[in-house]
Every structure is written in structure tokens, then in C-alpha cells.
Amino acid sequence: MNGLLEFVFENVPPLKVAPCVLSLIGHERNVKNVIRDGDEPLAISDVVDAGFWRRLASQEEDVAILLNMEEVEIGTRLIRGATLQVIHYGNLNDLVVFLSSEDCRKGGMVRSEDMYEWAKSVADLFEVANFFGGLEPANDEQTQLFLASGVGLIQGI
């Protein structure tokens, strides 16, 4: 399976958005660039500040933030070329990690079970009830690698 992989964490509690995002970022040097609402560049120093994410998670205005990163740590593996999208709409906060299947294979992340275990650990740590992942769009059951209840129809990439 080749293509873009999408790992979705739905309705992250507002108080958990900052620690979750900062955990996925890891460190400031990991962030290559940041864009708000599709075209407005943001300073990298803003998105490594927990206060930025706390304000975003509780504001009235809908917003989408896209962070292009050097890598993301999935379990014990580092996967290059990660993108993190944080979407705040209404009173909800969704986090989405995008990875290429090729970068996952290069990083040794090929089994759905491993991806599920990582996603479950993130969901448990940050109190996220619903999460799923698969070939983009990840909500397509036919190409899901995992969902909150376990491994999906696709066993690996």
C-alpha cells in the first residue's frame, strides 16, 4: 500500500491539546514551518509555547494549524516528514498526523498493530476516546489500519 497515511485523534479535551501537541512536536528544531488557516505563516516559537495551544483550544474562532515537522516519534521509531494538523472548530479539537507510507516503511513502521499500539498510548495519555488511522481518508473502513477498538482491515503497509 502506497500513499498518504492519516492518524486522527478526535475531540481532544481542551486541557490536553497543549501537552499532546508538544509531545508530538518533541522540540522546537523539529518544526520546519507552521501555517494557520491555509496561508498565514506563524512563528515556530509560538507553537512550542503551551499557552498558544491552551488559548487556541478554548477560543470561539474556528482555526486550523498545519505544522510540517522533520520527524515524529512513533513508539521507538522515528518517521521522517511528518505533518501535524490541529483543527479547532466549535468546542472541539482534532489532531491529525499525516505520514507517507514510504517514510513509514523507511522508518521500520509497517505493521498496523504497531501503529495501533502507538495511537492507543497517545489516546490513553491524552484522554482521547476516538482515534483511527489508515490510508487517507482514514475514515474509509476499507483502508483503515486501526481504530479505537483495534486493528482494522489492513494489517500493514
Side-chain angles (χ1 to χ4, degrees):
M1 175 169 62
N2 286 319
L4 185 62
L5 302 180
E6 179 181 37
F7 302 151
V8 179
F9 299 91
E10 289 187 325
N11 198 13
V12 178
L15 294 176
K16 299 295 181 175
V17 171
C20 186
V21 169
L22 296 175
S23 170
L24 291 169
I25 290 173
H27 52 85
E28 185 172 352
R29 292 180 318 279
N30 192 34
V31 181
K32 294 194 296 190
N33 59 54
V34 186
I35 299 171
R36 177 187 169 119
D37 294 329
D39 63 356
E40 180 186 337
L42 292 178
I44 292 172
S45 58
D46 288 345
V47 299
V48 294
D49 174 25
F52 174 87
W53 297 109
R54 283 193 297 270
R55 288 185 299 278
L56 180 134
S58 61
Q59 70 183 17
E60 295 291 323
E61 178 186 5
D62 293 351
V63 65
I65 308 284
L66 197 68
L67 299 95
N68 290 308
M69 303 185 304
E70 295 289 336
E71 61 194 15
V72 68
E73 189 173 340
I74 297 183
T76 60
R77 297 170 178 92
L78 291 176
I79 309 301
R80 308 252 335 129
T83 297
L84 173 61
Q85 183 179 44
V86 181
I87 307 164
H88 173 78
Y89 57 102
N91 292 322
L92 302 175
N93 300 286
D94 293 347
L95 275 63
V96 184
V97 177
F98 294 99
L99 301 166
S100 82
S101 56
E102 181 178 333
D103 288 335
C104 285
R105 281 193 291 277
K106 285 179 184 176
M109 179 63 69
V110 295
R111 294 175 8 138
S112 297
E113 181 68 30
D114 294 338
M115 295 174 204
Y116 168 74
E117 290 298 329
W118 166 76
K120 182 169 180 5
S121 70
V122 170
D124 288 348
L125 184 60
F126 300 108
E127 301 173 10
V128 178
N130 193 36
F131 62 96
F132 52 92
L135 193 61
E136 200 269 333
N139 61 353
D140 181 351
E141 292 179 12
Q142 299 302 309
T143 59
Q144 280 184 331
L145 295 161
F146 62 84
L147 51 158
S149 61
V151 174
L153 294 176
I154 307 292
Q155 299 298 304
I157 57 170

